């Protein structure tokens, strides 16, 4: 039985290198996660099944990443009321460096939100931080680790 608090899902194995930034960020903060490759378009039934089971398994936040016609985060949000963070990715045939995925992810209809972060690796890392910030609302130790990470980021900038 997994103790994952964050569920990471991405549309293709080709997204893994970029989404490693989310996994590394959560690991650095000591947050347990699980990762799946599922596609809104190519494995719609499996994606739906995974989304519907998350809450019952104790997952608290979802990170969903896809490129191109990036509907995965929206499909996740359609099937759960857990907070969903969308990471738009620049697919090999991306339009405008991932503008296609950004608009597909962010332009959700009223009532079914996706909290959308920046395109690509920076967005993946920020998705990990944002997921941890949500969890830290009920975990003061995690809040302290987040503040330490923020201080380390500041120190790096100031020393460069
Ligand atoms: C999207 O299409 C995936 O999330 C990926 O970013 C992009 C390309 O997928 P592959 O053709 O590499 O499987 O669905």
């Amino acid at each position: 039985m997994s103790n994952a608090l964050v569920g990471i899902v991405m549309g293709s194995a080709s997204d893994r290198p970029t989404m490693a930034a989310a996994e590394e960020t959560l690991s650095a903060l000591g947050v347990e996660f699980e990762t799946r490759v599922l596609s809104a378009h190519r494995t719609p039934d499996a994606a739906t099944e995974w989304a519907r089971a998350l809450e019952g398994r104790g997952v608290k936040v979802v990170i969903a990443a896809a490129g191109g016609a990036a509907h995965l985060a929206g499909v996740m949000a359609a099937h759960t009321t857990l907070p969903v963070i969308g990471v738009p990715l620049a697919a090999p045939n991306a339009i405008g460096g991932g503008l296609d995925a950004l608009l597909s992810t962010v332009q959700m209809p009223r009532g079914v939100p996706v909290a959308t972060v920046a395109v690509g690796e920076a967005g993946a890392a920020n998705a990990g931080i944002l997921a941890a910030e949500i969890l830290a609302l009920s975990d003061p130790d995690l809040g302290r680790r987040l503040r330490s990470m923020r201080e380390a980021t500041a120190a790096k900038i100031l020393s460069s």
Side-chain angles (χ1 to χ4, degrees), residues 10-15 39 41-42 65-69 89-92:
M10 62 197 84
S12 169
S14 66
D15 298 327
S39 167
H41 308 120
R42 295 182 280 200
L89 301 178

Side-chain angles (χ1 to χ4, degrees), residues 11 38-45 47 69-73 75:
L38 295 165
S39 167
H41 308 120
R42 295 182 280 200
T43 67
D45 292 341
H71 299 136
L72 186 58
V75 166

